[in-house]
Amino acid sequence: MLGGPLYIALIRFMISLAGTILLFCKMSEPRYGRKKAAVFYGGFCAVMMVLGSIWYVVDWESCVRLVAFAMYICFACFAICMSSDPVFLSLYKLALTFYLMAVFLVGGLEIALIFFDRNIWADIITRILLILIMALFIEKKIKNSIRGFCNYVESDLDRFSAAVMVISILFGIGFILNSNNKEQTPYRLFQIMINFFLTGALQYLVFRLYMHIGREQEFQKENQLMKMTQRLLERNIELMEAAVETGKKTRHDIRHHIAVIAEYAHRGQDEKLLEYLGEYKKSLDEGIEEIICANAAVNNLLAAYTRRARKEQIEVTLDVELGENLPIPGIDLVTILANVYENAIFGCMEAKRASKERECKIYLMLRRKKTKLVLYCSNSCRPEITFTNDRPMMEYTGGIGVLSIIRTAQKYDGEYDFRNENGVFIFRLILNIPS
């Protein structure tokens, strides 16, 4: 069935290799542009055709048995270099591609054997049709799902899942190279169907596993955003309550001031009246809220959190230079600042619990430099803070904020990092300001 002239073998090689490349490219993120990728893949196909033809002429029997596996191994190494996905993520996609390759290879052979009396052209045409059907199905139905859930695989892949993918590949190799029983019997067909089912089930298991993990993470992010919003509302309520109390006190005191001013005026004691008014003005100036920056939203937020930090006996130093108008929406800027300041306060409080005599400090710098917004925050923290994926563990940040910060930073193609330098937690962020 797999014999025939050299040109027939070349046609089969080309169709199988082109189909494999097409299916993989539908699911992977390319490293290069279309033209450059086409040149590379074209060169790879040419080399494989030459080597496959030489192998076919020199040792037909081993070529028939092993050519599919050998070509796929070469393609897998080449595809990892051509894809911008991480290695383990590329392995998952290659496993799925290998499964689909087995479908059109074995499907073409079996259909030609059962329905077309071993006709070679029936095998070739069936392969082409199956490749086109699978490519169309991927494009229309599962392309977005695969590329979307790949983010979950990239961030949460573990050794167990890597082992599952390797097993999946081995199952695929098993039914492609299984040539012990070449007779067309019900048992042989049953064996092929079981192999397809097991391999497909493993692929589907990995897909469902990471979709579940990814959705769970999305729910956690939404929950964190809700908690962050709750804390922002609490800070705003504190500001409003403080303003109301200040207003009540001012209204209460102003009656006494009016009475004193009226008495000085009635007695004609102008010098004492001016002296009293000067003292009154000075007391009003001392009661005015500190102006941190010209941006109202940022100013109110920083004032609220600074007041809270100082209540916890945390020394705060602010270095903020920010104009009134900023292209970044206020909600995004407030999201980052609130979470950074909240986590800094939490870190200082945890450091105080660990050592009551320790002096805790927060330094926050926020500046705009042309098309960049630079944020730097350092705070006292516990020395044993650990990181996962370059992010602090939730128990060291109060469980809120880090994912929100990262999510908002990525929205503006920002760069960030977290560090712990001998009990001083440092967060740095650079955002690209949209024009």
Side-chain angles (χ1 to χ4, degrees):
M1 179 64 193
L2 290 176
L6 178 59
Y7 77 92
I8 294 293
L10 284 175
I11 292 175
R12 279 175 163 156
F13 290 162
M14 180 58 70
I15 291 172
S16 300
L17 189 56
T20 304
I21 292 173
L22 175 63
L23 296 176
F24 179 76
C25 291
K26 288 289 183 182
M27 295 180 288
S28 69
E29 295 291 340
R31 186 183 298 273
Y32 307 105
R34 289 187 178 181
K35 293 183 179 180
K36 196 172 183 179
V39 171
F40 285 141
Y41 277 120
F44 174 77
C45 290
V47 173
M48 288 294 101
M49 290 302 98
V50 172
L51 295 178
S53 301
I54 295 173
W55 189 4
Y56 187 82
V57 172
V58 173
D59 190 353
W60 170 82
E61 185 177 353
S62 65
C63 180
V64 168
R65 288 189 297 106
L66 299 175
V67 68
F69 173 61
M71 291 180 67
Y72 183 77
I73 293 299
C74 295
F75 168 73
C77 298
F78 182 75
I80 290 175
C81 298
M82 292 294 294
S83 174
S84 62
D85 295 321
V87 175
F88 279 122
L89 186 53
S90 296
L91 284 177
Y92 173 81
K93 294 179 179 179
L94 285 168
L96 180 55
T97 303
F98 191 33
Y99 176 75
L100 298 177
M101 184 183 76
V103 171
F104 69 73
L105 285 179
V106 178
L109 289 173
E110 295 302 317
I111 290 175
L113 284 170
I114 297 172
F115 300 105
F116 296 97
D117 192 25
R118 298 174 176 266
N119 186 281
I120 292 175
W121 293 105
D123 171 33
I124 293 173
I125 294 172
T126 302
R127 291 187 188 190
I128 295 174
L129 291 176
L130 288 174
I131 290 170
L132 293 177
I133 290 171
M134 288 187 290
L136 185 62
F137 180 76
I138 292 172
E139 181 68 29
K140 298 295 183 181
K141 298 295 183 181
I142 65 174
K143 182 177 179 179
N144 292 332
S145 298
I146 289 176
R147 291 194 172 184
F149 111 104
C150 285
N151 295 327
Y152 309 147
V153 176
E154 182 179 351
S155 59
D156 297 293
L157 189 68
D158 53 23
R159 293 181 180 179
F160 171 77
S161 300
V164 168
M165 290 188 291
V166 172
I167 292 172
S168 178
I169 295 175
L170 292 177
F171 269 111
I173 295 171
F175 65 72
I176 283 189
L177 299 182
N178 182 20
S179 57
N180 294 328
N181 187 1
K182 298 182 180 180
E183 296 181 2
Q184 190 67 27
T185 63
Y187 174 75
R188 180 174 176 274
L189 292 176
F190 175 76
Q191 187 182 35
I192 291 173
M193 291 175 62
I194 290 298
N195 283 331
F196 270 110
F197 171 77
L198 290 176
T199 308
L202 287 169
Q203 293 285 351
Y204 186 67
L205 172 65
V206 174
F207 181 83
R208 292 283 297 179
L209 171 66
Y210 284 107
M211 284 298 288
H212 175 74
I213 293 174
R215 287 170 180 166
E216 187 70 23
Q217 286 188 347
E218 290 296 326
F219 291 146
Q220 290 179 0
K221 290 178 182 178
E222 293 299 326
N223 185 40
Q224 288 186 353
L225 286 174
M226 291 177 63
K227 289 182 178 180
M228 183 272 296
T229 303
Q230 177 186 353
R231 294 193 177 191
L232 287 177
L233 289 174
E234 289 175 354
R235 301 290 86 77
N236 286 331
I237 290 173
E238 290 177 5
L239 286 173
M240 292 176 64
E241 289 177 348
V244 170
E245 289 298 322
T246 301
K248 287 181 179 178
K249 184 180 178 181
T250 301
R251 287 194 298 272
H252 179 269
D253 293 343
I254 199 169
R255 290 178 297 173
H256 301 291
H257 293 305
I258 291 174
V260 172
I261 292 170
E263 184 65 22
Y264 278 129
H266 179 71
R267 295 183 180 185
Q269 299 175 338
D270 297 337
E271 293 183 1
K272 291 186 177 181
L273 174 59
L274 292 174
E275 182 181 350
Y276 181 80
L277 289 175
E279 292 177 354
Y280 181 49
K281 181 179 180 300
K282 184 179 179 181
S283 66
L284 289 177
D285 292 338
E286 291 176 351
I288 294 176
E289 192 73 40
E290 179 185 4
I291 303 299
I292 300 172
C293 69
N295 189 290
V298 173
N299 185 83
N300 292 336
L301 176 76
L302 294 178
Y305 277 100
T306 300
R307 189 183 304 111
R308 181 186 172 194
R310 286 170 178 164
K311 283 182 181 179
E312 299 292 340
Q313 297 181 344
I314 300 171
E315 182 181 336
V316 178
T317 302
L318 299 177
D319 182 7
V320 181
E321 294 181 6
L322 204 63
E324 183 177 357
N325 297 319
L326 200 65
I328 297 177
I331 185 63
D332 291 334
L333 190 55
V334 165
T335 296
I336 293 175
L337 281 176
N339 284 302
V340 169
Y341 216 153
E342 185 89 29
N343 293 341
I345 294 173
F346 181 86
C348 289
M349 294 171 65
E350 287 294 300
K352 277 192 173 185
R353 290 190 184 99
S355 177
K356 294 183 179 180
E357 297 180 356
R358 183 174 180 183
E359 293 184 1
C360 293
K361 301 178 181 180
I362 295 176
Y363 172 76
L364 190 146
M365 185 268 287
L366 178 64
R367 293 180 181 178
R368 177 178 180 176
K369 296 183 178 180
K370 296 182 180 180
T371 60
K372 305 289 183 181
L373 185 67
V374 181
L375 172 63
Y376 176 93
C377 182
S378 65
N379 62 271
S380 306
C381 68
R382 292 162 58 183
E384 64 271 17
I385 288 182
T386 55
F387 295 79
T388 301
N389 295 327
D390 297 325
R391 303 174 187 177
M393 301 287 286
M394 285 188 176
E395 55 264 31
Y396 299 112
T397 60
I400 295 178
V402 173
L403 291 177
S404 299
I405 294 170
I406 294 173
R407 191 174 185 179
T408 307
Q410 290 174 344
K411 182 178 178 181
Y412 297 96
D413 296 325
E415 299 180 6
Y416 57 87
D417 71 339
F418 302 88
R419 297 203 316 270
N420 178 18
E421 296 184 352
N422 299 321
V424 177
F425 186 84
I426 296 176
F427 171 70
R428 297 183 299 178
L429 171 68
I430 298 178
L431 292 183
N432 295 309
I433 298 176
S435 57

